[in-house]
């Protein structure tokens, strides 16, 4: 409570010497200090107190205390109150003085206002005069500057600072339009000069733009244009551009903007990473926009697109003509038709030399029936290479030009939306109806657009291709612009664009050396040399022109359209999906491929149906060669078909996307050739014993198991599985027994005509040659193609094709050829074995009881060995040694088996007869051993067995038993017993001889 009371009375100004007042205040109850004092409790307290007087006295003391305190407080604040009253009085005095000063100031201001009012009109006149003088001075300065503008603009134009010139022109024209200068008479001449300069600037910019659109300008991406010292210095300083892939980007101010006034466009040119030529194109378009000449420029560009593209193509052709060696092409075109195209795979044709072989004959003379085209027009001929290189050069140039057109087209489209000048756009020249004057966009750009440029380029390229192919479009007399309109306006989705409709051809075969014969055979005709040269002048580069050049056209066009797709912005991507490529594809499908099939099928038919097609070559070398150039005697019909197949597949290199169709053609040709070979084979073997035997399953199985098949592996590759030689002896004997058990062989059942045997040998080797060639052709398609290269994102849906099935088709055909080749040599082997049996069966018709020792073998042996030697000599040039070994290798086993079996049919034989048979065996062995292809050791082993067998007849019985005991398995039991049954004069055979021999043999 005391704390609260101290708080209530704290701060009262009580002197220190009267501290008792503070103590007294602390004893006063706080209720006395309440805001609303209630006296009733105090009255009640006094009335109820026992000491009323004491309480009243206490209250009186407190009242005195408070009065003392109040006195002290009043005394303490009295001085402050007096000072405050004094300050207030001073303030009132100052306010009074200020009011008097303000009243005086108001009076003075009123006087000044009156004075200024009298001078106001004069001051206004002076101010207006000063403004007029300043304006006149400014006008004089402007007039002086504007008068110099035309000369400055001309200087800037001379310095090739076109953007700076346009800047100055625009600024000057805006200045002349200002109020105040319009009425200045001295500037009328300047205004007239600037108007003229606007036109001069426009045409200068337009000409420069035209040059750079076609890469013939100073800042173009190629240096085909002027190459003076100034431009060279510019390229060196600005990182000039020889080709797009060697362009160096510079962030410095380009030289053609060095005099320009800094502005937003100039800043954008410094910051952009675009190549120098693109920066220059943007600058030119910006100049046109500033001059408000976008539509007019677009119209003029449209007028000049077609003739300029035509001139570009023509100049490229003339340039290529100077580089190409026309004399070499003409020389090849005049080569005689005895040269033969030959290769080891598609696209690797080469001409066989016309040098004579060792026997004095030409290597091959089948060109006329081999190929429907001249060597220059072959897939790798000079005409094809010239067409491909020429088109590649032209298309590369056109892609660069189109890239410039795309850049300018997009810029004009952007600028046209901001151009305010309403110009009357000139109509596009040359009848280019793709420009639509009703179109707001066409009006704004003068008809120029990316679609327009692309359609004109494709139209001109189509005309070029038609000239190269000698194809005339349906509307041959129509203006080229109509073609452009058709290409540009057709909807590639709703309407199929068939560019090859209504095409006719002046000729198909163009080689001068065979033109006359082709006229007779109906294969085509050559254009007369009197026909005037028109169009682009491609005849100076490609003297041989026609439908077959379509193959060389395809790849350049395909790559051209792919490259266009790469440079086209996404919004224009559909423009590159059709047009020229569709024209070429339709052309190939509807004209070229059918022509290929018809012409080559006719050649195949001529090759395999001519009288000499399956006639063994009479001028073949005496020694077999595995190489055609060295004299391998491949039948002319099959050699011609091989050349045709390789040439047809040679087109695949030029048109990889049509590999399936071309391989299908080759398969058709090869199947037809196989049928003809089968027919020739049947003509030689029909109704002959060897063919009848080969058609039997048991004989065919035994021949397949014969170990002699191993000698065919080097020629025919891996054949069917064959058993080891140890077990093969049984197969050989079984087959020999089967042949011997057929009964007497009649001569009419044998192929007695040696020419047919030689034909079979030559046919077998030729079939093997063709099978090897077909296999190599198939293997060449296993590796992935590089055409198409990937590279073609825009056409991959319709221009990529798998070749995984190609090797299977050709491999199966190769197997068919090998089977027929094997049948030929198997027939020959059987024929020689049957011929041997035919001669050896004479042994059973005579008695070998001689009365004198003869010096010569039997006549049938002499006849057989003579025939063997003659046929071996005749077949040697036509058959490789492994096959000759196979053909003649079966003679010794059959002769030995026939000689041994003949003893069972003899009634008697004497010692001289045994010697005669041994002499026959030796003569036959010597005749076979003389053949270089025969395994003489095997022949000796088989015929030694004959001599050993017959010499058993000279042994005494006991000695015979001893031999049988030692050589139990050398001969069969039946053969050992036949030794006992024959009557040998002077030999003593016991009665139980057969039983004793049987005991030894375990029977």
């Amino acid at each position: 409570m005391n704390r609260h009371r101290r708080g209530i009375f704290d701060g009262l100004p009580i002197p220190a010497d009267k501290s008792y007042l503070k103590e007294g205040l602390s004893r006063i109850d706080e209720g006395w200090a309440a805001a609303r004092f209630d006296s009733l409790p105090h009255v009640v307290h006094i009335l109820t107190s026992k000491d009323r007087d004491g309480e009243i006295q206490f209250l009186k003391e407190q009242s005195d205390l408070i009065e003392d305190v109040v006195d002290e407080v009043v005394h303490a604040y009295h001085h402050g109150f007096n000072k405050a009253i004094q300050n207030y009085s001073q303030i009132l005095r100052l306010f009074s003085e200020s009011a008097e000063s303000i009243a005086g100031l108001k009076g003075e201001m009123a006087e000044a206002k009156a004075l200024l009012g009298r001078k106001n009109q004069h001051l206004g006149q002076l101010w207006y005069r000063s403004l007029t003088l300043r304006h006149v001075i400014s006008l004089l300065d402007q007039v002086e500057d504007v008068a110099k503008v035309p000369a400055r603009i001309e200087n800037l134009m001379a310095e090739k600072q076109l953007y700076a010139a346009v800047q100055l022109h625009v600024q000057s024209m805006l200045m002349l339009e200002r109020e105040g200068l319009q009425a200045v008479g001295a500037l009328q001449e300047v205004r007239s000069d600037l108007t003229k300069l606007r036109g001069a600037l426009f045409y200068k910019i337009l000409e420069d733009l035209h040059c750079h659109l076609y890469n013939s300008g100073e800042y173009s991406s190629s240096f085909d244009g002027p190459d003076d010292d100034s431009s060279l210095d510019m390229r060196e300083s600005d990182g000039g551009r020889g080709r797009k892939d060697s362009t160096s980007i510079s962030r410095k101010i380009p030289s053609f903007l060095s005099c320009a006034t800094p502005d937003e466009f100039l800043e954008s040119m410094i910051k952009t990473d675009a190549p120098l030529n693109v920066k220059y194109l943007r600058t030119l378009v910006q100049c046109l926009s500033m001059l408000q000449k976008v539509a007019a420029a677009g119209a003029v560009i449209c007028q000049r697109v077609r003739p300029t593209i035509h001139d570009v193509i023509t100049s490229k052709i003339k340039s290529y003509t100077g580089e190409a060696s026309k004399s070499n092409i003409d020389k090849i075109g005049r080569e005689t038709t005895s040269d033969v195209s030959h290769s080891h795979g598609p696209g690797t044709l080469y001409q066989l030399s016309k040098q004579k072989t060792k026997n004095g004959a030409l290597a091959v003379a089948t060109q006329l029936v081999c190929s429907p085209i001249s060597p220059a027009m072959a897939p790798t001929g000079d005409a094809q290479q010239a067409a491909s290189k020429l088109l590649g050069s032209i298309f590369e140039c056109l892609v660069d030009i189109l890239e410039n057109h795309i850049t300018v087209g997009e810029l004009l489209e952007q600028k046209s939306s901001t151009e305010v000048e309403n110009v009357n756009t000139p109509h596009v020249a040359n009848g280019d109806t793709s420009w639509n004057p009703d179109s707001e966009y066409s009006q704004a750009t003068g008809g120029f657009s990316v679609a327009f440029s692309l359609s004109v380029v494709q139209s001109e390229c189509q005309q070029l291709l038609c000239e190269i192919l000698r194809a005339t479009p349906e509307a041959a007399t129509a203006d080229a612009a109509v073609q452009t309109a058709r290409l540009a306006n057709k909807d590639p989705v709703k309407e199929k664009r068939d560019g090859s409709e209504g095409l006719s051809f002046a000729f198909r075969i163009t080689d001068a050396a065979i033109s006359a014969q082709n006229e007779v055979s109906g294969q085509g005709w050559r254009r007369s040399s009197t026909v005037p040269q028109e169009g682009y002048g491609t005849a100076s580069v490609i003297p041989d022109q026609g439908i077959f050049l379509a193959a060389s056209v395809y790849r350049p066009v395909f790559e051209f359209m792919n490259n266009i797709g790469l440079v086209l912005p996404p919004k224009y991507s559909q423009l590159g999906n059709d047009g020229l490529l569709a024209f070429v594809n339709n052309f190939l499908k509807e004209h070229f491929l059918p022509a290929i099939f018809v012409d080559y099928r006719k050649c195949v038919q001529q090759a395999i149906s001519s009288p000499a097609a399956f006639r063994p070559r009479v001028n073949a070398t005496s020694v077999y060669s595995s190489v055609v150039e060295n004299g391998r005697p491949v039948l002319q019909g099959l050699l011609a078909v091989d050349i045709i197949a390789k040439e047809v597949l040679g087109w695949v290199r030029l048109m990889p996307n049509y590999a399936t169709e071309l391989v299908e053609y080759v398969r058709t040709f090869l199947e037809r050739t196989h049928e003809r070979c089968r027919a020739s084979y049947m003509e030689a073997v029909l109704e002959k014993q060897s063919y009848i035997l080969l058609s039997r399953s048991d004989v065919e199985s035994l021949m397949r198991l014969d170990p002699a098949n191993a000698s065919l592996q080097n020629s025919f590759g891996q054949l069917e599985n064959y058993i080891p030689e140890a077990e093969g002896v049984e197969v050989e004997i079984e087959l020999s027994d089967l042949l011997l058990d057929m009964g007497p062989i009649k001569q009419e059942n044998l192929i007695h005509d040696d020419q047919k045997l030689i034909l079979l040998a030559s046919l077998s080797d030729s079939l093997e040659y063709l099978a090897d060639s077909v296999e190599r052709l198939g293997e060449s398609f296993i590796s992935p193609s590089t055409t198409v290269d990937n590279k073609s994102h825009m056409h991959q849906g319709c221009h990529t094709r798998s070749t995984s099935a190609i090797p299977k088709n050709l491999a199966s055909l190769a197997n068919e050829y090998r089977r027929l080749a094997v049948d030929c040599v198997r027939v020959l082997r059987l024929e020689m074995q049957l011929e041997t049996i035919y001669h050896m069966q004479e042994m059973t018709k005579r008695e070998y009881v001689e009365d004198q020792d003869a010096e010569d073998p039997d006549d049938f042996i002499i006849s057989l060995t003579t025939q063997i030697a003659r046929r071996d000599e005749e077949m040697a040039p036509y058959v490789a040694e492994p096959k000759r070994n196979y053909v003649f290798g079966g003679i010794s086993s059959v002769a030995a088996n026939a000689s041994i079996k003949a003893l069972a049919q003899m009634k008697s034989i004497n010692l001289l007869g045994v010697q005669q048979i041994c002499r026959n065996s030796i003569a036959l062995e010597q005749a076979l051993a003389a053949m270089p292809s025969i395994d003489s050791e095997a022949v000796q082993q088989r015929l030694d067995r004959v001599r050993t067998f017959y010499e058993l007849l000279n042994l005494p019985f006991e000695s015979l038993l001893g031999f049988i005991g030692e050589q139990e398995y050398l001969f069969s039991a039946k053969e050992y017993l036949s030794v006992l049954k024959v009557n040998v004069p002077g030999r003593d055979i016991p009665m139980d001889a057969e039983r004793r021999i049987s005991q030894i043999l375990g029977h």
Side-chain angles (χ1 to χ4, degrees), residues 589-606:
K589 291 177 182 178
E590 298 182 11
H591 295 278
F592 177 73
L593 291 177
I596 284 281
F597 182 74
V598 171
D599 290 356
Y600 282 96
R601 182 181 60 182
K602 184 183 297 184
C603 292
V604 169
Q605 186 63 30
Q606 291 176 352

PDB file of all heavy atoms in Angstrom, residues 589-606:
ATOM      1  N   LYS A 589       9.505 -47.040-112.491  1.00  0.00           N
ATOM      2  CA  LYS A 589       8.588 -48.171-112.364  1.00  0.00           C
ATOM      3  C   LYS A 589       7.830 -48.442-113.651  1.00  0.00           C
ATOM      4  O   LYS A 589       7.622 -49.595-114.026  1.00  0.00           O
ATOM      5  CB  LYS A 589       7.589 -47.902-111.233  1.00  0.00           C
ATOM      6  CG  LYS A 589       8.210 -47.902-109.848  1.00  0.00           C
ATOM      7  CD  LYS A 589       7.170 -47.559-108.793  1.00  0.00           C
ATOM      8  CE  LYS A 589       7.795 -47.504-107.408  1.00  0.00           C
ATOM      9  NZ  LYS A 589       6.802 -47.118-106.367  1.00  0.00           N
ATOM     10  N   GLU A 590       7.416 -47.371-114.331  1.00  0.00           N
ATOM     11  CA  GLU A 590       6.527 -47.540-115.474  1.00  0.00           C
ATOM     12  C   GLU A 590       7.257 -47.626-116.807  1.00  0.00           C
ATOM     13  O   GLU A 590       6.675 -48.090-117.786  1.00  0.00           O
ATOM     14  CB  GLU A 590       5.521 -46.381-115.516  1.00  0.00           C
ATOM     15  CG  GLU A 590       4.622 -46.337-114.292  1.00  0.00           C
ATOM     16  CD  GLU A 590       3.605 -45.220-114.365  1.00  0.00           C
ATOM     17  OE1 GLU A 590       3.476 -44.631-115.465  1.00  0.00           O
ATOM     18  OE2 GLU A 590       2.957 -44.937-113.344  1.00  0.00           O
ATOM     19  N   HIS A 591       8.495 -47.159-116.852  1.00  0.00           N
ATOM     20  CA  HIS A 591       9.196 -47.143-118.139  1.00  0.00           C
ATOM     21  C   HIS A 591      10.527 -47.880-118.079  1.00  0.00           C
ATOM     22  O   HIS A 591      10.785 -48.776-118.887  1.00  0.00           O
ATOM     23  CB  HIS A 591       9.417 -45.699-118.602  1.00  0.00           C
ATOM     24  CG  HIS A 591       8.148 -44.969-118.902  1.00  0.00           C
ATOM     25  ND1 HIS A 591       7.478 -45.074-120.089  1.00  0.00           N
ATOM     26  CD2 HIS A 591       7.421 -44.114-118.142  1.00  0.00           C
ATOM     27  CE1 HIS A 591       6.388 -44.339-120.067  1.00  0.00           C
ATOM     28  NE2 HIS A 591       6.330 -43.742-118.889  1.00  0.00           N
ATOM     29  N   PHE A 592      11.378 -47.497-117.123  1.00  0.00           N
ATOM     30  CA  PHE A 592      12.729 -48.046-117.123  1.00  0.00           C
ATOM     31  C   PHE A 592      12.745 -49.534-116.778  1.00  0.00           C
ATOM     32  O   PHE A 592      13.316 -50.343-117.513  1.00  0.00           O
ATOM     33  CB  PHE A 592      13.602 -47.273-116.137  1.00  0.00           C
ATOM     34  CG  PHE A 592      14.994 -47.822-116.014  1.00  0.00           C
ATOM     35  CD1 PHE A 592      15.918 -47.647-117.022  1.00  0.00           C
ATOM     36  CD2 PHE A 592      15.380 -48.547-114.894  1.00  0.00           C
ATOM     37  CE1 PHE A 592      17.203 -48.155-116.925  1.00  0.00           C
ATOM     38  CE2 PHE A 592      16.655 -49.061-114.781  1.00  0.00           C
ATOM     39  CZ  PHE A 592      17.566 -48.863-115.803  1.00  0.00           C
ATOM     40  N   LEU A 593      12.128 -49.905-115.660  1.00  0.00           N
ATOM     41  CA  LEU A 593      12.165 -51.313-115.245  1.00  0.00           C
ATOM     42  C   LEU A 593      11.486 -52.225-116.270  1.00  0.00           C
ATOM     43  O   LEU A 593      12.031 -53.291-116.594  1.00  0.00           O
ATOM     44  CB  LEU A 593      11.541 -51.473-113.858  1.00  0.00           C
ATOM     45  CG  LEU A 593      12.350 -50.867-112.713  1.00  0.00           C
ATOM     46  CD1 LEU A 593      11.602 -51.004-111.393  1.00  0.00           C
ATOM     47  CD2 LEU A 593      13.708 -51.544-112.600  1.00  0.00           C
ATOM     48  N   PRO A 594      10.314 -51.867-116.796  1.00  0.00           N
ATOM     49  CA  PRO A 594       9.754 -52.713-117.860  1.00  0.00           C
ATOM     50  C   PRO A 594      10.666 -52.814-119.082  1.00  0.00           C
ATOM     51  O   PRO A 594      10.783 -53.882-119.689  1.00  0.00           O
ATOM     52  CB  PRO A 594       8.426 -52.007-118.206  1.00  0.00           C
ATOM     53  CG  PRO A 594       8.059 -51.271-116.958  1.00  0.00           C
ATOM     54  CD  PRO A 594       9.357 -50.817-116.381  1.00  0.00           C
ATOM     55  N   ALA A 595      11.319 -51.694-119.436  1.00  0.00           N
ATOM     56  CA  ALA A 595      12.240 -51.742-120.575  1.00  0.00           C
ATOM     57  C   ALA A 595      13.421 -52.646-120.279  1.00  0.00           C
ATOM     58  O   ALA A 595      13.870 -53.417-121.149  1.00  0.00           O
ATOM     59  CB  ALA A 595      12.725 -50.324-120.914  1.00  0.00           C
ATOM     60  N   ILE A 596      13.943 -52.547-119.056  1.00  0.00           N
ATOM     61  CA  ILE A 596      15.041 -53.426-118.645  1.00  0.00           C
ATOM     62  C   ILE A 596      14.633 -54.887-118.805  1.00  0.00           C
ATOM     63  O   ILE A 596      15.355 -55.710-119.386  1.00  0.00           O
ATOM     64  CB  ILE A 596      15.422 -53.130-117.179  1.00  0.00           C
ATOM     65  CG1 ILE A 596      16.227 -51.849-117.085  1.00  0.00           C
ATOM     66  CG2 ILE A 596      16.207 -54.291-116.572  1.00  0.00           C
ATOM     67  CD1 ILE A 596      17.669 -51.976-117.460  1.00  0.00           C
ATOM     68  N   PHE A 597      13.453 -55.213-118.299  1.00  0.00           N
ATOM     69  CA  PHE A 597      13.006 -56.613-118.329  1.00  0.00           C
ATOM     70  C   PHE A 597      12.806 -57.097-119.756  1.00  0.00           C
ATOM     71  O   PHE A 597      13.271 -58.180-120.133  1.00  0.00           O
ATOM     72  CB  PHE A 597      11.709 -56.749-117.530  1.00  0.00           C
ATOM     73  CG  PHE A 597      11.188 -58.159-117.469  1.00  0.00           C
ATOM     74  CD1 PHE A 597      11.804 -59.107-116.672  1.00  0.00           C
ATOM     75  CD2 PHE A 597      10.090 -58.540-118.221  1.00  0.00           C
ATOM     76  CE1 PHE A 597      11.342 -60.407-116.633  1.00  0.00           C
ATOM     77  CE2 PHE A 597       9.615 -59.833-118.182  1.00  0.00           C
ATOM     78  CZ  PHE A 597      10.245 -60.774-117.374  1.00  0.00           C
ATOM     79  N   VAL A 598      12.133 -56.279-120.556  1.00  0.00           N
ATOM     80  CA  VAL A 598      11.832 -56.707-121.923  1.00  0.00           C
ATOM     81  C   VAL A 598      13.116 -56.845-122.745  1.00  0.00           C
ATOM     82  O   VAL A 598      13.333 -57.858-123.423  1.00  0.00           O
ATOM     83  CB  VAL A 598      10.869 -55.712-122.587  1.00  0.00           C
ATOM     84  CG1 VAL A 598      10.727 -56.014-124.082  1.00  0.00           C
ATOM     85  CG2 VAL A 598       9.500 -55.772-121.912  1.00  0.00           C
ATOM     86  N   ASP A 599      13.987 -55.860-122.681  1.00  0.00           N
ATOM     87  CA  ASP A 599      15.197 -55.876-123.504  1.00  0.00           C
ATOM     88  C   ASP A 599      16.141 -56.994-123.091  1.00  0.00           C
ATOM     89  O   ASP A 599      16.667 -57.728-123.944  1.00  0.00           O
ATOM     90  CB  ASP A 599      15.914 -54.532-123.411  1.00  0.00           C
ATOM     91  CG  ASP A 599      15.142 -53.432-124.122  1.00  0.00           C
ATOM     92  OD1 ASP A 599      14.112 -53.750-124.742  1.00  0.00           O
ATOM     93  OD2 ASP A 599      15.567 -52.272-124.067  1.00  0.00           O
ATOM     94  N   TYR A 600      16.357 -57.142-121.796  1.00  0.00           N
ATOM     95  CA  TYR A 600      17.284 -58.178-121.358  1.00  0.00           C
ATOM     96  C   TYR A 600      16.683 -59.576-121.494  1.00  0.00           C
ATOM     97  O   TYR A 600      17.404 -60.543-121.732  1.00  0.00           O
ATOM     98  CB  TYR A 600      17.720 -57.921-119.910  1.00  0.00           C
ATOM     99  CG  TYR A 600      18.772 -56.843-119.791  1.00  0.00           C
ATOM    100  CD1 TYR A 600      18.443 -55.535-119.497  1.00  0.00           C
ATOM    101  CD2 TYR A 600      20.114 -57.141-119.989  1.00  0.00           C
ATOM    102  CE1 TYR A 600      19.401 -54.541-119.394  1.00  0.00           C
ATOM    103  CE2 TYR A 600      21.090 -56.158-119.890  1.00  0.00           C
ATOM    104  CZ  TYR A 600      20.727 -54.857-119.588  1.00  0.00           C
ATOM    105  OH  TYR A 600      21.681 -53.889-119.494  1.00  0.00           O
ATOM    106  N   ARG A 601      15.380 -59.684-121.331  1.00  0.00           N
ATOM    107  CA  ARG A 601      14.753 -60.996-121.563  1.00  0.00           C
ATOM    108  C   ARG A 601      14.914 -61.415-123.012  1.00  0.00           C
ATOM    109  O   ARG A 601      15.181 -62.586-123.316  1.00  0.00           O
ATOM    110  CB  ARG A 601      13.269 -60.929-121.188  1.00  0.00           C
ATOM    111  CG  ARG A 601      12.546 -62.265-121.361  1.00  0.00           C
ATOM    112  CD  ARG A 601      11.080 -62.139-121.012  1.00  0.00           C
ATOM    113  NE  ARG A 601      10.408 -61.172-121.865  1.00  0.00           N
ATOM    114  CZ  ARG A 601       9.127 -60.841-121.744  1.00  0.00           C
ATOM    115  NH1 ARG A 601       8.398 -61.385-120.784  1.00  0.00           N
ATOM    116  NH2 ARG A 601       8.589 -59.956-122.569  1.00  0.00           N
ATOM    117  N   LYS A 602      14.782 -60.428-123.902  1.00  0.00           N
ATOM    118  CA  LYS A 602      14.988 -60.730-125.317  1.00  0.00           C
ATOM    119  C   LYS A 602      16.429 -61.167-125.566  1.00  0.00           C
ATOM    120  O   LYS A 602      16.690 -62.106-126.328  1.00  0.00           O
ATOM    121  CB  LYS A 602      14.648 -59.501-126.154  1.00  0.00           C
ATOM    122  CG  LYS A 602      14.731 -59.722-127.660  1.00  0.00           C
ATOM    123  CD  LYS A 602      14.453 -58.433-128.411  1.00  0.00           C
ATOM    124  CE  LYS A 602      13.040 -57.948-128.143  1.00  0.00           C
ATOM    125  NZ  LYS A 602      12.714 -56.733-128.940  1.00  0.00           N
ATOM    126  N   CYS A 603      17.365 -60.491-124.906  1.00  0.00           N
ATOM    127  CA  CYS A 603      18.772 -60.871-125.071  1.00  0.00           C
ATOM    128  C   CYS A 603      19.041 -62.264-124.505  1.00  0.00           C
ATOM    129  O   CYS A 603      19.796 -63.048-125.083  1.00  0.00           O
ATOM    130  CB  CYS A 603      19.667 -59.843-124.373  1.00  0.00           C
ATOM    131  SG  CYS A 603      19.668 -58.221-125.161  1.00  0.00           S
ATOM    132  N   VAL A 604      18.443 -62.559-123.359  1.00  0.00           N
ATOM    133  CA  VAL A 604      18.614 -63.902-122.778  1.00  0.00           C
ATOM    134  C   VAL A 604      18.055 -64.956-123.719  1.00  0.00           C
ATOM    135  O   VAL A 604      18.673 -66.009-123.948  1.00  0.00           O
ATOM    136  CB  VAL A 604      17.929 -63.969-121.403  1.00  0.00           C
ATOM    137  CG1 VAL A 604      17.861 -65.415-120.902  1.00  0.00           C
ATOM    138  CG2 VAL A 604      18.686 -63.110-120.402  1.00  0.00           C
ATOM    139  N   GLN A 605      16.868 -64.661-124.255  1.00  0.00           N
ATOM    140  CA  GLN A 605      16.257 -65.620-125.170  1.00  0.00           C
ATOM    141  C   GLN A 605      17.131 -65.828-126.401  1.00  0.00           C
ATOM    142  O   GLN A 605      17.318 -66.980-126.857  1.00  0.00           O
ATOM    143  CB  GLN A 605      14.865 -65.121-125.575  1.00  0.00           C
ATOM    144  CG  GLN A 605      14.062 -66.106-126.405  1.00  0.00           C
ATOM    145  CD  GLN A 605      13.767 -67.389-125.647  1.00  0.00           C
ATOM    146  OE1 GLN A 605      13.643 -67.380-124.427  1.00  0.00           O
ATOM    147  NE2 GLN A 605      13.670 -68.491-126.362  1.00  0.00           N
ATOM    148  N   GLN A 606      17.683 -64.757-126.947  1.00  0.00           N
ATOM    149  CA  GLN A 606      18.574 -64.890-128.093  1.00  0.00           C
ATOM    150  C   GLN A 606      19.845 -65.647-127.722  1.00  0.00           C
ATOM    151  O   GLN A 606      20.356 -66.445-128.504  1.00  0.00           O
ATOM    152  CB  GLN A 606      18.931 -63.500-128.624  1.00  0.00           C
ATOM    153  CG  GLN A 606      17.769 -62.763-129.284  1.00  0.00           C
ATOM    154  CD  GLN A 606      18.164 -61.361-129.712  1.00  0.00           C
ATOM    155  OE1 GLN A 606      19.244 -60.886-129.397  1.00  0.00           O
ATOM    156  NE2 GLN A 606      17.265 -60.692-130.431  1.00  0.00           N
TER     157      GLN A 606
END
